[in-house]
Every structure is written in structure tokens, then in C-alpha cells.
């Protein structure tokens, strides 16, 4: 048995490299042609279709509402703040959505997720797109945790919130041959200092939906989105504190963002909906963030150095 493993260790890597070298050129050509054809001829018509969006009261979620509304979709808006949901719903109707249902719910609670999916299907009779967008940020290093349990909400919202809603939505999405859109993050594969809790939740999210894509096959398409720094309440300083409560600390968020430009939520939402409608597997917004993934694979030490904290004084602030 040991000899078998030694032999495979010697043979498998060069074989994989050879396969990549042979298949990569035609694969890239195929992807380019598919992108052009899908963008031109196979964009899904969303008129009259039903889209459920979590985290719909602000930021990327709010702009996703407007983007789907412009395409004539009927909408289910989910978030905790009813007053903001009502404002977003009114604007969505003005943008062209013929029917908008708002549901106040907390995605970290499984019973709430079951309820809003049931309300959506009861009201509209179908579900075509599930957009798992709700999320919460944290800008504290692991060593700064006063009580590790205080950071449980990061996983509860970012990971379990998407899993719960997906579990209840799948039977309805299979009937409509619908789609799941997941707001992940480059933090799921890009190590960023003082971002370990958030990054872990997004890494779990990416891995889960990549696996679910294989399990579901062609019955439901899944689009995994990795937005970079996008204008939202998060980039304005709102995140989970080390004490387990939401706080606004612009200084900490500014350090995480550094010199990177912050893209608009409207631009991000348009890219997400376009990608979902053409059946894209992955979307990175802005697209240049994808280059860091190559750096992670080819030169991980350089990426670690680049991501290492430069402002240690924040640990005491």
C-alpha cells in the first residue's frame, strides 16, 4: 500500500499539470464564447418571476431589489427592519416590480427562514430565485476576542442563515428550475488580518454551495458571488464588536479597506443579476479581485505578508 501511494505521489502531479496545459486553452475559448452567447441570447427574462432577497433593507441587498425590479420581477424582501423594508419596497414598485411582499425576519433563526419561504410561496405560488445576501461583518482579530461566544452571530447569519433558507427553498426552486445566488466574499479565500471570523463564515459558505452545486446537478443553478469592498453599512463602519453587539467603528473598517477603492452597491447588484440570469457559476466584483486568488495559489507567502496587520495599535482601540 505504501508503494502505491509513493507511485501516485510521483505520477499524479505531472499528469494533472499535463491535463491543465492541454485543456486550458480550449476551455478558456469555450468560456469566452459562452459568455458572449449567454450575454447576448440566453439571458433569463425575469418579468413576472419571483425573487426572494435576504438582507434587502440596505447596501447590496437594497440595490439587488431595484435591479430585479427594473427587470419586472415580483419580489419578496426579507430583513429585520420593517421601516427600511417598506421604503425599499415602495421604490421597487416605482422601478417596475408589480408585486412586492415584505417579511420581517432574522435569518439566523431557522423558524424565521421556514416562515418567509412559506409566505413567499403562499403569496406568489412559486419561487424562481433565492438570493442569500444577508450578512454581518466583524473587524476583530481572533486574539481580541473577550468571549469567543460573542462571535457566534457571524457564523449564524453569514453561514447558517443561507443554509436554512436554502433548505426550505429547494423543493420550490426545483419545480421552477430556479437559481440560488449567494453573496460570499473574497475573504472566504483571501486571508485578511482582523477578519478571521468573517472570513471563516464566508469560506464555509463557498465550500457548502460548491458541494451543493454538485449534489443538485442541473436541477438548480447556483451563482456564488464574491464582492470586494462595496459601499454598504459595513464599509461605513458597522460591524459586530468584540462584546457581541453591533457597533460603528469607521477606523477599524478603514484599516481593513486600506487604499482599495470602494465600488458602488448599484454596480455590484447589476453584475450579480446579470451573472445569475446568464447562469454564471462565479462572479467577482470588481473582477480584479480574482487576481489575488492566483497569488494565493502561486505565491501564498507573498499574500500572507501583504495581508499582515500594519496597524497593531488597533488591537487596543
Amino acid at each position: 500500500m505504501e508503494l502505491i501511494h509513493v507511485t501516485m505521489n510521483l505520477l499524479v502531479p505531472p499528469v494533472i499539470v499535463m491535463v491543465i496545459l492541454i485543456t486550458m486553452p480550449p476551455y478558456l475559448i469555450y468560456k469566452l464564447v459562452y459568455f458572449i452567447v449567454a450575454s447576448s441570447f440566453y439571458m433569463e427574462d425575469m418579468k413576472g418571476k419571483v425573487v426572494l432577497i435576504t438582507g434587502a433593507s440596505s447596501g447590496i441587498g437594497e440595490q439587488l431589489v431595484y435591479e430585479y425590479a427594473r427587470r419586472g420581477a415580483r419580489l419578496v424582501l426579507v430583513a429585520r427592519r420593517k421601516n427600511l423594508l417598506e421604503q425599499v419596497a415602495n421604490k421597487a414598485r416605482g422601478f417596475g416590480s408589480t408585486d412586492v411582499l415584505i417579511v420581517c425576519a432574522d435569518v439566523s433563526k431557522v423558524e424565521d427562514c421556514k416562515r418567509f419561504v412559506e409566505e413567499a410561496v403562499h403569496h406568489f405560488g412559486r419561487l424562481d430565485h433565492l438570493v442569500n445576501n444577508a450578512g454581518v461583518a466583524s473587524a476583530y482579530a481572533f486574539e481580541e476576542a473577550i468571549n469567543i461566544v460573542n462571535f457566534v452571530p457571524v457564523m449564524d447569519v453569514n453561514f447558517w442563515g443561507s443554509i436554512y433558507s436554502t433548505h426550505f427553498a429547494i423543493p420550490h426552486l426545483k419545480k421552477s428550475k430556479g437559481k440560488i445566488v449567494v453573496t460570499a466574499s473574497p475573504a472566504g479565500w483571501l486571508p485578511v488580518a482582523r477578519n478571521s471570523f468573517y472570513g471563516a463564515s464566508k469560506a464555509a459558505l463557498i465550500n457548502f454551495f460548491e458541494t451543493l452545486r454538485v449534489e443538485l446537478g442541473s436541477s438548480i443553478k447556483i451563482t456564488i458571488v464574491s464582492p470586494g469592498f462595496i459601499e454598504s453599512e459595513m464599509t461605513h463602519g458597522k460591524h459586530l464588536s468584540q462584546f457581541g453587539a453591533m457597533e460603528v467603528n469607521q477606523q477599524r473598517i478603514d484599516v481593513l479597506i486600506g487604499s482599495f477603492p470602494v465600488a458602488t452597491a448599484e454596480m455590484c447588484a447589476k453584475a450579480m443579476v446579470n451573472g445569475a440570469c446568464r447562469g454564471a457559476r462565479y462572479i467577482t466584483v470588481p473582477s480584479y479581485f480574482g487576481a489575488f486568488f492566483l497569488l494565493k495559489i502561486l505565491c501564498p507567502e507573498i499574500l500572507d505578508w501583504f495581508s499582515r496587520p500594519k496597524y497593531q495599535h488597533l488591537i487596543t482601540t
Side-chain angles (χ1 to χ4, degrees), residues 158-221:
N158 295 355
F159 178 71
W160 285 111
S162 295
I163 306 312
Y164 295 152
S165 56
T166 297
H167 172 72
F168 296 114
I170 278 180
H172 308 290
L173 292 171
K174 280 188 172 181
K175 291 178 183 179
S176 64
K177 290 193 173 295
K179 295 174 180 175
I180 299 172
V181 182
V182 184
T183 302
S185 170
W189 42 263
L190 181 66
V192 179
R194 292 179 296 277
N195 208 25
S196 52
F197 297 101
Y198 179 77
S201 68
K202 294 300 186 177
L205 197 66
I206 293 170
N207 191 277
F208 176 86
F209 280 98
E210 286 179 336
T211 304
L212 184 64
R213 182 192 283 134
V214 175
E215 293 179 1
L216 294 175
S218 60
S219 61
I220 299 174
K221 290 186 177 181

Side-chain angles (χ1 to χ4, degrees), residues 40 189 294:
S40 303
W189 42 263
L294 292 176

Side-chain angles (χ1 to χ4, degrees), residues 59-121:
I60 295 174
E62 179 183 356
Q63 294 302 322
L64 283 168
V65 170
Y66 303 150
E67 189 61 33
Y68 273 111
R70 292 185 183 98
R71 298 169 191 239
R74 296 177 291 171
L75 301 168
V76 184
L77 314 186
V78 178
R80 292 177 296 177
R81 297 172 291 185
K82 184 178 180 180
N83 60 324
L84 293 183
L85 281 179
E86 290 175 341
Q87 294 174 21
V88 173
N90 288 333
K91 289 183 181 179
R93 295 183 186 100
F95 281 123
S97 184
T98 58
D99 197 349
V100 183
L101 172 68
I102 65 171
V103 184
C104 290
D106 184 345
V107 298
S108 68
K109 298 177 179 178
V110 65
E111 61 273 14
D112 278 20
C113 294
K114 184 174 188 291
R115 174 171 57 85
F116 65 64
V117 171
E118 288 177 345
E119 288 190 28
V121 176

